[in-house]
Amino acid sequence: MPERAFIRLSLFHCTAIAFFLFAVALHYDPASGFTRFIYFGDHFTSTRLPEVTRTDPFVFHDSDGYDGQFYAQIATSPLLANPGLDRALDSPAYRSRRIGLPAFAWLAGLGHTRWILQAYALANVLAWLALAVLLLRWIPTSTTTARLAWLGCLFGVGVMMSVERALTDLPAALLLVIALHFAERQRRGSAGVAFSLALLTRDASMLGGGLLLPADRADRRQWLRAAGVGALAALPLVFWSIHVHRRFPGLPNGDAGIFALPFSALLGKLQAIWHAIPQQGWIRSTVQLLSITGLCVQFLLLLALARSAWRQRWWRVGAAFALLFAVLGPLVWEDYTAAARTVIPMTLAFNVLLLRDRWWSFPVCLVGNLPLLHGVVYLLRPSWPSLP
C-alpha cells in the first residue's frame, strides 16, 4: 500500500470518526467532565481515596461501579505510595499490575488529581482515534467488505465497552498493533518497546508475543533475536511485579473464575441467555446471541487459517487470543461484553486477515462483525437508557 494511504482520511472515515466523537460528547457532564466513563459506584464511596472524592467525579447510584474506578485511583499515585490504596482497591495486587494506563494518565494530568481523572477517562478515546488511523495500513477501505471490516474493528462491543468504561483492554490492544507495525518494518527495538508497554498496560498482552517471531521457523538466528527482544520487553513487567508484591504482599485474588474448560463457560452463558428471555425480552437476548455468534465466527476463521497463515504476524497474535477465547471462564462470561473486550486482538486479526479477495469474504465479514450492532448501542446508551 502506498505510504500516503496510511494517513489519508476519506469522507467515510471522517463521518465514522465524527459519529464516534459525537457519542463521546454525550458522556460529558458540566460538573464532572468526562468522569462518567470511569464508572465510579457509590458502593465504594466509603473506601475511595479522599483526594478523588474531593474532585466530585460522576458517581453511579446504587451501583458497584466498574473496574476503571480502581485504575483511575492508582493513576493518582502510580508508584503506589499512597497508603489509602490498600482500602480503595478491591484487589490491590491484581489491579496494580496494570500500571501502564494509570501512569499515562498521571503524566498527562501533570500530577493534578482532577486533571489525572479527566486524562484517564479520555485515554480510551485517544486510543480509539489512534487505532482508527493505524488500521488503515492494513485495511484500505476501498471496498464494502473493507469498510465493514474497519468499522467492525472500531465499533465492536468489546472496543466500545473499553471506551465507555475506561478500561485497559483497548489501550493494550493498540500497543500490540503498534508493536506489530514496527515488527513488520523490521524495527525490533521499537517493536520491543511497544510490546513492553502493552504488557505493563495489560499482562494478557503476553499472548501477542508471536508478533516478534520470524516468519521462517527454521531460522534459528532470527528466533534467538526474537527471544532476546521478548525477554528484554518482559523485564519492566517483572520488576514492576516485584514492586507490587512488596507493596501489597500476598497473591492477587482477581484471577479466580477467569479460565475454564474449553467453551464450557460459553455454553453456560448461552443457556443463561435462553432462560432469561422471559425477563429481559427477545430484543436484548437476540442482540447478545448475535454478538456471541460473531465472536464464534471470528474464532472459527482463525482456526481455519491455522495451516496456511503462520507466516503472518496478525494470525499469530489473533490465534493466541482465539485460544484465550476458548478457555474464558464464567467470571468473564457473566457479562459477555467482558469476553468481547478481552479478545479485542482476535477481532482485529479476523478483520485484517479476511481481506484477501475471497468470494466468501463479505458474508463472513458481515456475520463476524455482528458485535458492532451492540457496540454502537453500547456507546449511545447513556443518552438513551432504554437501549439494550
Side-chain angles (χ1 to χ4, degrees):
M1 179 192 307
E3 191 66 24
R4 61 183 179 180
F6 172 65
I7 59 174
R8 180 184 298 167
L9 294 176
S10 68
L11 178 61
F12 169 79
H13 304 124
C14 293
T15 301
I17 292 172
F19 170 77
F20 172 75
L21 293 177
F22 165 75
V24 167
L26 296 177
H27 290 72
Y28 179 76
D29 178 74
S32 58
F34 286 98
T35 54
R36 182 189 186 109
F37 279 127
I38 301 178
Y39 229 86
F40 286 104
D42 63 349
H43 292 174
F44 286 95
T45 299
S46 62
T47 60
R48 192 174 303 138
L49 292 177
E51 53 267 42
V52 170
T53 300
R54 285 195 293 269
T55 67
D56 195 23
F58 191 97
V59 176
F60 287 83
H61 296 289
D62 194 24
S63 170
D64 289 332
Y66 213 75
D67 299 358
Q69 65 184 321
F70 305 117
Y71 299 121
Q73 293 180 85
I74 293 173
T76 65
S77 181
L79 294 180
L80 312 180
N82 190 331
L85 289 174
D86 297 72
R87 296 181 66 246
L89 305 182
D90 61 338
S91 177
Y94 176 72
R95 301 294 181 193
S96 299
R97 292 184 310 195
R98 301 170 176 177
I99 193 58
L101 191 58
F104 167 82
W106 184 86
L107 290 171
L110 302 177
H112 296 279
T113 302
R114 188 178 300 275
W115 297 354
I116 290 170
L117 294 182
Q118 298 299 326
Y120 182 85
L122 291 173
N124 268 265
V125 176
L126 296 177
W128 189 95
L129 293 171
L131 183 63
V133 176
L134 188 57
L135 281 174
L136 296 181
R137 172 172 168 78
W138 299 279
I139 307 179
T141 52
S142 56
T143 66
T144 301
T145 303
R147 288 173 181 152
L148 179 59
W150 187 76
L151 291 174
C153 287
L154 296 168
F155 288 97
V157 69
V159 168
M160 291 295 96
M161 184 186 188
S162 185
V163 172
E164 203 265 343
R165 299 201 176 184
L167 302 173
T168 60
D169 305 84
L170 176 58
L174 170 66
L175 289 165
L176 282 179
V177 173
I178 293 173
L180 195 151
H181 167 68
F182 285 129
E184 286 188 344
R185 292 171 170 247
Q186 301 303 314
R187 295 172 60 178
R188 295 187 184 88
S190 298
V193 170
F195 182 60
S196 182
L197 292 174
L199 292 175
L200 288 170
T201 302
R202 191 171 182 84
D203 39 10
S205 298
M206 68 180 65
L207 293 173
L211 66 87
L212 299 173
L213 300 177
D216 186 357
R217 283 180 277 192
D219 192 336
R220 294 183 179 179
R221 179 177 298 180
Q222 293 297 325
W223 274 77
L224 288 175
R225 287 180 180 177
V229 172
L232 290 174
L235 279 180
L237 178 61
V238 171
F239 290 136
W240 178 253
S241 298
I242 293 172
H243 173 66
V244 170
H245 181 70
R246 289 177 176 174
R247 175 64 180 83
F248 302 114
L251 295 175
N253 58 3
D255 294 326
I258 292 180
F259 303 110
L261 293 174
F263 300 110
S264 60
L266 169 58
L267 293 174
K269 180 60 178 178
L270 292 174
Q271 185 179 25
I273 293 174
W274 178 259
H275 289 307
I277 289 176
Q279 289 77 36
Q280 65 181 14
W282 279 100
I283 295 179
R284 187 181 296 269
S285 299
T286 300
V287 167
Q288 294 180 10
L289 291 172
L290 288 176
S291 295
I292 293 175
T293 298
L295 293 173
C296 291
V297 168
Q298 295 172 19
F299 169 85
L300 290 172
L301 177 76
L302 291 169
L303 183 65
L305 295 175
R307 297 184 63 181
S308 60
W310 163 262
R311 298 178 65 86
Q312 300 187 56
R313 287 183 171 87
W314 270 109
W315 182 83
R316 286 178 239 150
V317 173
F321 279 89
L323 292 176
L324 175 63
F325 174 77
V327 298
L328 288 176
L331 181 64
V332 183
W333 278 110
E334 183 178 358
D335 179 355
Y336 91 93
T337 57
R341 66 178 171 82
T342 300
V343 295
I344 288 175
M346 179 182 79
T347 299
L348 301 180
F350 164 82
N351 282 294
V352 170
L353 295 170
L354 188 66
L355 304 178
R356 294 295 184 270
D357 297 325
R358 304 182 178 101
W359 66 269
W360 45 262
S361 291
F362 180 75
V364 174
C365 185
L366 183 63
V367 178
N369 284 307
L370 286 174
L372 74 81
L373 297 175
H374 196 192
V376 173
V377 169
Y378 207 95
L379 194 61
L380 293 174
R381 191 168 52 179
S383 292
W384 292 281
S386 60
L387 292 174

